[in-house]
Amino acid sequence: MQTLYETHKPLSCLPVTEGETGTCVPESHSTARAHIEIVLDTVGQCSRASIIDKTDATTVIPCTEASATRSGKKPVPHPLCDGLQYLAADFRKYGGVVTSGFAKEDDQPHKDYMEQLRKWVAASPHPKTVRILKYLEGGTVIADLVRQHVLPLDVGGKIASSKTSETAECPIWAVLPAGQPADKAVVRWRVEIPGDLASGVWEDQSLLDNWSAYYPATIETKGLCMVNGDVVALSSLHPAKLRHAGDKAKLISSDDSSGFTFRGRFTDGTQACGVGYEVSQKAHSALRWLIARQGYRNDTQVFVSWAVSGKPTPPPIEDSHDWLDEPIDMGQGDAQAGPDHTRDAGQSFALRLNKYIAGYAATFDPTECIVVMGLDSATPGRMSIIYYRELLGSEFLERLKKWHADMAWPQRVSAKQKGKGKKKGAPVAPWRACAPTPRNIAEAAYGLRLDAKLKRATVERLVPCIVDGREPPADLVESCVRRAANRPGFKDKEQWEWEQALGVACAMYKGRHARHAKAEQRRTYDMALEPERTSRDYLYGRLLAVAEHIEEVALRVAGEDRPTTAARLMQRFADHPCSTWRTIEMALQPYMQRLQASRGGFLHNMRTLLDEVLCLFQGEDFQSEHRLTGEFLLGYHCQRQIWKKDRSNAAETEGEE
């Protein structure tokens, strides 16, 4: 809370961000979506009214602690902008239906609203609130809105409860949620005073400051704020709406009216922990703004990082390719083609990453404090902090850089080529070098249809790997490897998913060994084929890729389209490499005989490559039937990418006689 409170000041100096929850609202204010705008003149009379466009509906409104968290059958009113049942004295006259809790006293919402507004105007009068109060005391809100053709009436002269043929022309239906009656519309005010350029009540900073100064003085509960150590007005109802406008979950709450939460230890919530009203308002406002602006959402989970000084920070959980703005490789002949990481071993990616991180490092002070926070809600009303770290700016950047460098591997993505003229570009599936996101890792380990709870748990386990520099969990790496090795488990139309899982599995295996806790297990891999690497699993992966390529070419020459033997036996090959290789090698013989006549040069090159790889096995490695580790996927993928990346060369080679 203290860090968020300190962050509020630099954030309040930044330009206001548009969006439903993207505004760093002042103290004692919230946001609401208004549907109707009433314009008053200098004497407090309605000059006009209009329907508000949806893009301009989000409005900063004054609120109390109770109104900001209102719910139930008797919601309390906001001080200024609110629904028609609170504002209009003639609401019941035109058939308006109040909230069910007010059914026996249908004028109570309006009375509560007027009483609250009169107290505010009496204690701290403002030119706009004085005119609004004067207009409301006239009691003609609904009549004026009907006269301005803003509110539709049915044939009985009542406010229309639904869209009918008689009321279909009224524009109010275009801005109200589907099924919501017209009497639930929310009103905001605009008061036109000569010389006052900010006529909207949400635009007038003096009016916002007026309420921010008035309302905290009315709070009677005083006590010690555990955040700043001062005796101040304490908050009893802390704000909600942190993740989105409909979010009811709170970070801080106290309720002993049912369930006996305090267990006899306290008589009220302030004895457990008192938080000042100003601190609570500013801290929650800053957190709400940060989540809307730069939070990472995963179902009900949210992760957000920020600098206390308000300076921009790189997103730790986003795809590194999105930051680096690296051109996507669309294949040969594309002017936007990116670097070939299978040939430069990822050096161009590393250079881009270094430059990107260095750019942020230049803006940070040596003592810059970076905060990474994760939030989730187990129930609709309670929110918890599931992850929290404070780091120095240099430390944060170094760990972020190391994660993306360790986990970088070519990943299959979906993109579209640039269309010519008005034609849309064709979809393509390029490979780009980057670290997989936690969400991609969860999907690669457990499939696209994994449970939302399992996905949240997986993301939560991976965030410490990024921010704290831990190694990826061994079971998660194994799940990715085993699922990628089980290629027959993917249907023909799901091969794109298998390719995604293959890229993620390689990244996970590479990343785990780059930061392995045991020094003897620690090693690095290039993002390119390493012809000199002689480890058994790596070489078996290369053999599988060569066998697959020979059969693919033979099938293509014969005009056949079916899975190769290597693809069908990939899972068995991972478990019993030596015996399965004999099966694959024997199955290759008919295809080699076919290619002997039409693709002799290609076959010679492949046989030479097979011999080279087989000669690199050491000792009894080749005869060993031990299960292959994820390293065989690295050798397989690197060898396979050579032909995928350079089809033109492959075509030339295939054509040699």
Side-chain angles (χ1 to χ4, degrees), residues 530-539 615-618 621 631:
E530 300 178 64
E532 304 302 323
R533 189 175 285 277
T534 59
S535 57
R536 166 182 169 269
D537 296 355
Y538 195 85
L539 293 176
C615 289
L616 290 175
F617 280 91
Q618 297 178 347
D621 283 355
E631 191 180 34

Side-chain angles (χ1 to χ4, degrees), residues 288-352:
R288 187 183 299 119
W289 187 84
L290 287 166
I291 289 174
R293 185 171 183 254
Q294 58 204 48
Y296 172 86
R297 299 170 187 272
N298 176 37
D299 196 32
T300 59
Q301 251 177 8
V302 172
F303 288 91
V304 62
S305 63
W306 73 91
V308 176
S309 64
K311 294 177 181 175
T313 59
I317 311 180
E318 298 292 338
D319 193 334
S320 56
H321 186 84
D322 294 339
W323 328 331
L324 302 180
D325 196 24
E326 182 177 341
I328 293 177
D329 185 358
M330 297 293 185
Q332 190 201 13
D334 193 306
Q336 299 296 321
D340 183 355
H341 297 290
T342 64
R343 300 192 185 282
D344 72 358
Q347 290 179 353
S348 60
F349 172 80
L351 289 174
R352 282 174 176 270

Side-chain angles (χ1 to χ4, degrees), residues 476-495:
L476 198 55
V477 177
E478 190 65 16
S479 294
C480 291
V481 168
R482 290 304 149 201
R483 189 162 180 270
N486 184 24
R487 187 172 179 180
F490 294 83
K491 298 176 182 177
D492 291 345
K493 62 182 181 182
E494 296 174 342
Q495 287 305 301

Side-chain angles (χ1 to χ4, degrees), residues 49 153 219 226 256 305 315 335 371 379 389 423 451 488 499 531 551 556 593 608 637:
L153 298 181
I219 299 176
M226 304 297 285
D256 200 34
S305 63
V371 181
T379 63
R389 291 288 185 280
K423 291 184 178 179
D451 179 62
E499 290 187 337
E551 190 172 344
R556 189 161 61 242
Q593 290 176 6
T608 303
H637 197 203

Side-chain angles (χ1 to χ4, degrees), residues 98-112:
V98 298
T99 310
S100 59
F102 300 115
K104 295 181 179 178
E105 299 174 304
D106 52 17
D107 59 343
Q108 191 62 40
H110 180 64
K111 286 182 179 177
D112 293 343

Side-chain angles (χ1 to χ4, degrees), residues 25-88:
V25 298
E27 177 186 346
S28 307
H29 287 76
S30 183
T31 56
R33 291 186 67 81
H35 308 109
I36 298 172
E37 182 173 286
I38 298 179
V39 183
L40 305 182
D41 57 19
T42 54
V43 295
Q45 295 298 317
C46 176
S47 59
R48 62 185 182 279
S50 61
I51 301 297
I52 303 169
D53 188 80
K54 283 185 176 180
T55 57
D56 187 35
T58 302
T59 307
V60 177
I61 61 170
C63 67
T64 64
E65 278 192 304
S67 72
T69 57
R70 68 184 185 184
S71 61
K73 296 180 180 178
K74 290 187 175 181
V76 298
H78 292 304
L80 194 61
C81 302
D82 211 332
L84 290 171
Q85 69 170 340
Y86 300 101
L87 274 59

Side-chain angles (χ1 to χ4, degrees), residues 12-27:
S12 61
C13 300
L14 296 176
V16 174
T17 303
E18 294 184 359
E20 188 169 354
T21 57
T23 304
C24 191
V25 298
E27 177 186 346

